[in-house]
Amino acid sequence: MPFAPTDHRLDRLIYVLVKNATVVVPGPKIASEVGVSRATVWTWIERLREAGVRIRGHARRGYQLAALPDVLAPSLIRPHVPPQQQIGRKIIHYFCVGSTNDVALELSPRDAPHGTLILAEEQTAGRGRMGRTWHSERFSGIYSSIILRPPLSPAAAPILTLMAGLAVREAVWASTGLSADIRWPNDVLLNGRKVSGILTEMRAEMDRLHTVVLGIGINVNHVRMPAELKGIASSLALEGGQRYSRLQVLLALLRELEQHYRLLIEGGSSVIVERWMARSSYAQGKHLRVRTATSEYMATSAGLDLSGALRVRRDDGQEELLVAGEVVEIK
Ligand code: BTN
């Protein structure tokens, strides 16, 4: 069966349950507030239960949440998006989808204006950089794609990616108090382990970026990582020693993206580059193994240029400007 976005009435049902969390809400009341039949309310309550939302049913009296759900339902996000904020003004939510980036890349500008957010509680084909997969466990992380329609040339794409990494870092700090590092170009690390990654994809002409999709994955409440990722990846919960509200982390992410995007458009790339350098231990003097599409070598980082490229001095003395690729620290 193809994946379908969450019906806005199901989204409304979640909202009604959350807003009335302290009382038992009668089925007919839910049905009339949501605009569906009582039978549909029953079916949807079952579906939410299957998805992990704990709802008590009281014979003939109605339904009540047993615990506040950490569901990224648009109706729970929307009241916190200020009217002037563009990022997150339109939200398309899936309980399960292949990849939010794939959805985002298919949408036309009419259906998905600048700032549209695609969210999933689970991805079955989450994609990472360099053809890797992105582990997208149900209800544990934030799996999001943000559509930007920037008035910029394709040459500005790398700086958008740096901007996004910086925004994630600041959002994690604002919502959890955890102080993360940023590894060029845009991995967010806690205690040396990756907790967030960004996959930037775009549609462009020679001189104009049509659409940039910032695919942002944040491992929030994963209690364990798959064996193959142990040691290199982690979650906010594993590093912070507690669960966090995915909703609060997401709201902070939307705010920070909005702010940093405005900074970039109004002030140019230098302000993003400066902030990025101040926040990343990878900017200067870090001994690295560098991997590009065509080569692999050891080098030491020596700052970013204004396009967001990383300057490195190879161990053999040669200087390089990295525009794409990846780096790992050599201890
Ligand atoms: C990386 O390799 O570091 C990038 C990971 C990006 C993962 C996110 S999760 C939401 C969006 N949809 C995807 O399929 N990938 C990105």
Side-chain angles (χ1 to χ4, degrees):
M1 201 173 77
F3 300 110
T6 305
D7 188 309
H8 71 275
R9 294 164 305 170
L10 175 54
D11 180 31
R12 173 100 193 131
L13 189 153
I14 298 170
Y15 183 79
V16 170
L17 288 173
V18 169
K19 288 300 143 202
N20 296 286
T22 54
V23 292
V24 178
V25 198
K29 181 170 183 241
I30 300 179
S32 83
E33 284 207 21
V34 172
V36 294
S37 68
R38 286 169 66 181
T40 304
V41 169
W42 186 84
T43 313
W44 282 354
I45 295 268
E46 281 311 305
R47 203 190 296 167
L48 288 174
R49 283 179 173 145
E50 277 163 27
V53 179
R54 290 171 50 214
I55 304 166
R56 286 198 202 102
H58 298 266
R60 287 186 301 280
R61 286 199 298 134
Y63 303 97
Q64 183 178 18
L65 283 173
L68 277 181
D70 195 15
V71 177
L72 300 176
S75 61
L76 302 180
I77 299 169
R78 232 170 253 127
H80 304 280
V81 177
Q84 69 280 11
Q85 185 171 309
Q86 293 185 310
I87 310 254
R89 196 189 292 163
K90 174 161 185 178
I91 305 170
I92 303 174
H93 175 273
Y94 289 80
F95 274 95
C96 185
V97 77
S99 154
T100 54
N101 264 35
D102 290 347
V103 173
L105 286 166
E106 287 301 310
L107 292 170
S108 70
R110 232 190 65 188
D111 295 333
H114 174 78
T116 298
L117 166 68
I118 323 293
L119 272 176
E121 306 289 347
E122 177 185 10
Q123 296 184 117
T124 55
R127 297 190 283 111
R129 295 176 67 227
M130 312 262 184
R132 299 192 185 105
T133 58
W134 185 258
H135 174 64
S136 308
E137 190 179 318
R138 185 165 90 156
F139 290 123
S140 299
I142 293 174
Y143 314 117
S144 62
S145 297
I146 293 100
I147 297 178
L148 304 179
R149 308 216 180 262
L152 300 172
S153 78
I159 204 80
L160 281 166
T161 301
L162 288 192
M163 179 283 290
L166 186 57
V168 172
R169 190 260 167 225
E170 300 300 25
V172 168
W173 168 249
S175 58
T176 68
L178 297 168
S179 180
D181 198 359
I182 321 172
R183 177 171 60 198
W184 188 89
N186 56 8
D187 293 339
V188 176
L189 312 178
L190 280 169
N191 304 318
R193 297 194 183 91
K194 179 160 164 174
V195 293
S196 170
I198 300 169
L199 176 66
T200 309
E201 296 182 298
M202 65 197 78
R203 295 203 189 287
E205 276 172 29
M206 284 293 282
D207 58 345
R208 199 169 72 85
L209 278 171
H210 280 285
T211 305
V212 173
V213 173
L214 297 175
I216 303 181
I218 308 181
N219 301 335
V220 181
N221 286 323
H222 302 59
V223 289
R224 69 186 68 82
M225 299 309 292
E228 68 276 15
L229 296 178
K230 276 216 178 102
I232 55 170
S234 189
S235 70
L236 305 185
L238 284 168
E239 298 307 313
Q242 64 176 91
R243 283 179 63 83
Y244 295 99
S245 156
R246 285 185 307 143
L247 182 60
Q248 292 309 322
V249 178
L250 176 68
L251 292 173
L253 174 64
L254 301 180
R255 273 195 306 272
E256 294 292 339
L257 279 171
E258 176 82 15
Q259 267 184 30
H260 286 84
Y261 180 75
R262 278 181 198 268
L263 267 180
L264 173 63
I265 298 299
E266 286 159 19
S269 59
S270 60
V271 49
I272 298 296
V273 165
E274 265 166 40
R275 286 191 184 205
W276 195 97
M277 298 235 289
R279 293 290 187 228
S280 170
S281 76
Y282 281 75
Q284 296 270 6
K286 182 84 102 189
H287 197 210
L288 305 167
R289 181 190 309 280
V290 176
R291 194 177 317 148
T292 71
T294 51
S295 60
E296 198 169 324
Y297 54 86
M298 315 281 210
T300 303
S301 58
L304 293 184
D305 81 354
L306 272 186
S307 72
L310 182 66
R311 268 192 221 98
V312 295
R313 192 164 306 111
R314 289 168 74 131
D315 284 5
D316 63 13
Q318 205 175 310
E319 308 245 323
E320 304 269 2
L321 196 56
L322 275 183
V323 288
E326 62 179 12
V327 302
V328 280
E329 180 177 13
I330 307 172
K331 293 234 171 94

